[in-house]
Amino acid sequence: MRVVIAEDLALLRDGLTRILDAYGFRVVEAVADGPSVLPALTRHRPDVAVLDVRLPPTFTDEGLQAALAARTQLPGLPTLVLSQHVEQLYARELLADRRGGVGYLLKDRVSNVGQFIDAVRRVADGGMVMDPEVVSQLLARNTGAQRLRDLTGREREVLGLMAEGRSNAAIAGRLFVTEKAVSKHINNIFSKLGMPPSDDDNRRVLAVLAYLNG
C-alpha cells in the first residue's frame, strides 16, 4: 500500500515513515511543507495520504487545504489528517467531502502504533476514523440540541463510538453488550435524530457527523 506523508517536523516525519514501512506500507514520498503536498499527491496517486494540518510556510491550514485540493483532482483520495489540537473547523471542512476514506487524528495517537496503523488501514479501505477527543467536543458543542437531549446515556455512548467509525461488532465489544443490542440502540438513535437507519457504516457515520456539525 503506497503512502504520501506531509509533516514538517523531521523526527516525526522519519518516525511515521519507519512505522509505516515496518507494517508493510510503502512511503513513496515524504514532504515537509504545504506547497509540496499537492504535487506529491497528484504525482504518486497514493493509496492513502497522511498529512499534518499545519505546515510551512504559514503553519495555518496548508495541509488541510492541500488535502481538499487533492481530493478535488483525485476524487475519493483516502486522507488521514493529523493535528496537534482539536480544530472543529478543520474537522468540518474535511468531512464536507463525502467521497472516499477520511480520518482526523490528534498527533498524540501516533504514539499508540497499533491505533495509528489501524486508522491508516481503515481510511485506506474507504472508512472513516475520528479521534475520540474530536467526537467528544462535537458532542459537547451540541448538548443543547433538543434531539441530542432526547438520547439516553447509552445511546450517546453508541453515537460517540459510531462517530469514531466503529462497526457494530466493535461497539458491542467496547460496551460489553450484544450486537443485537447495539443495532437496537442505533435504530433508536436514527429515529430520534430524524435519520433513516443504514447498513452502510461509512454513510451512517457521515450522517451522524453531518448532524453534529450542522
Side-chain angles (χ1 to χ4, degrees), residues 6-13 31-33 52 54-56 59 107:
E7 168 58 52
D8 64 294
L9 296 176
L11 287 177
L12 182 53
R13 187 169 63 251
V31 302
D33 58 72
D52 187 0
R54 299 185 179 188
L55 293 169
F59 293 98
K107 285 187 175 181

Side-chain angles (χ1 to χ4, degrees), residues 19-68:
I19 290 171
L20 291 167
D21 284 345
Y23 281 83
F25 296 88
R26 183 162 66 94
V27 177
V28 292
E29 189 167 352
V31 302
D33 58 72
S36 300
V37 176
L38 185 56
L41 293 175
T42 54
R43 179 165 56 250
H44 295 289
R45 297 175 175 263
D47 298 299
V48 60
V50 179
L51 313 174
D52 187 0
V53 167
R54 299 185 179 188
L55 293 169
T58 68
F59 293 98
T60 54
D61 62 352
E62 285 89 348
L64 176 68
Q65 294 305 321
L68 296 175

Side-chain angles (χ1 to χ4, degrees), residues 30 48 75 125 127 171 207:
V48 60
D125 287 341
I171 294 173

Side-chain angles (χ1 to χ4, degrees), residues 38 76 86 92 96 113 123 155 190 196:
L38 185 56
V86 176
R92 288 196 297 272
V113 175
V123 170
E155 288 166 355
F190 277 114

